[in-house]
Amino acid sequence: MNTKEKSRKSFDKQAYAYDTSDYSKYPRECYPFVMEALKGIKFKNILDLGCGTGAILEQINNTYTFAELYGSDLSEKMIEQAKQRLDSKAVLSTGDAENLPYEENSFDLVCCVESFHHYPNPRKALSEIRRILKQDGTFLLCDTWSKRPVRQIMNFFIRFSDDGDVHIYSKREIINLLAEADFKSISWRKITNHAYLCSSQKL
């Protein structure tokens, strides 16, 4: 079973109880920081990549009632839960971050919260994200982090995981990946003991 299938199967299994389970503990810790970051970004529409059950989209909808909301996730069961939560407030679809079903220059803002470490081809995913962003659009990335040597130990063992984890990135690795993908104005900061928040733009 490849990594994507492991992720899909794992999140399908987690979907019904995800919001109150230990699986969503770290994402829930990140949401306030993402919401705070949005205050400094101008946007009319937003794609939440790896949207899960739609929890952060619901918070965005409650605060930015003018925004057009989109969500994509590899797990069909997660999308089912998101549709129950958001109803017609967002356009939701099952999708692969490496092959996004959106036209070029579609979004002012793409956010990705605690999903990026599941992507087996991060360069392809970043290329797709940049493609669908409008000029001057923002990519807001929030993901799992840990310091050395814990990160190296985690990266050794996650290859044996059934949850579809691929790689926990260092600050340098993420900044280099974004720069290689031609993102500009890259900023990175640690926000919790387990996560970072990184902002970049398509300029």
Side-chain angles (χ1 to χ4, degrees):
M1 187 185 301
N2 65 33
T3 303
K4 290 181 186 179
E5 286 304 312
K6 286 182 178 180
S7 289
R8 192 195 322 271
K9 185 175 181 180
S10 176
F11 283 106
D12 277 350
K13 188 182 298 184
Q14 297 171 31
Y16 297 112
Y18 183 78
D19 289 330
T20 56
S21 71
D22 286 343
Y23 287 110
S24 66
K25 177 183 177 182
Y26 293 156
R28 292 198 305 267
E29 290 178 356
C30 294
Y31 295 157
F33 296 95
V34 174
M35 293 301 297
E36 183 65 26
L38 293 183
K39 293 179 181 179
I41 301 172
K42 292 182 179 180
F43 63 95
K44 293 182 179 179
N45 65 3
I46 179 172
L47 169 66
D48 182 13
L49 189 57
C51 67
T53 62
I56 190 69
L57 282 174
E58 182 179 45
Q59 293 186 33
I60 294 170
N61 178 72
N62 291 339
T63 305
Y64 301 94
T65 55
F66 60 84
E68 297 176 8
L69 307 181
Y70 294 79
S72 176
D73 199 279
L74 192 65
S75 164
E76 293 181 7
K77 299 299 183 183
M78 285 288 196
I79 290 295
E80 287 177 8
Q81 294 299 303
K83 286 180 177 178
Q84 290 184 28
R85 165 181 258 131
L86 294 161
D87 194 22
S88 61
K89 297 172 184 175
V91 179
L92 302 166
S93 60
T94 305
D96 182 342
E98 296 171 13
N99 299 281
L100 295 172
Y102 308 105
E103 295 182 1
E104 293 182 11
N105 307 309
S106 292
F107 296 101
D108 300 311
L109 174 61
V110 174
C111 71
C112 181
V113 181
E114 290 288 342
S115 175
F116 195 78
H117 63 280
H118 286 278
Y119 300 166
N121 190 339
R123 289 176 174 81
K124 182 65 165 63
L126 289 174
S127 175
E128 280 289 272
I129 291 165
R130 193 178 188 283
R131 179 184 68 79
I132 65 172
L133 273 173
K134 296 178 184 177
Q135 195 69 17
D136 299 323
T138 299
F139 175 42
L140 198 60
L141 172 62
C142 181
D143 206 50
T144 297
W145 177 88
S146 63
K147 63 177 67 175
R148 298 176 64 182
V150 175
R151 188 175 65 253
Q152 285 92 333
I153 295 170
M154 290 174 67
N155 281 329
F156 175 81
F157 283 105
I158 60 176
R159 72 184 73 178
F160 307 110
S161 166
D162 290 328
D163 292 328
D165 300 288
V166 173
H167 191 77
I168 308 301
Y169 295 92
S170 69
K171 176 181 178 179
R172 178 180 294 180
E173 286 174 323
I174 281 295
I175 289 175
N176 286 345
L177 281 170
L178 288 165
E180 287 175 16
D182 203 25
F183 282 93
K184 309 296 183 183
S185 300
I186 302 167
S187 66
W188 185 104
R189 66 187 177 99
K190 178 184 172 185
I191 54 173
T192 73
N193 289 331
H194 309 284
Y196 65 86
L197 183 65
C198 185
S199 177
S200 60
Q201 288 186 288
K202 175 183 176 179
L203 298 177

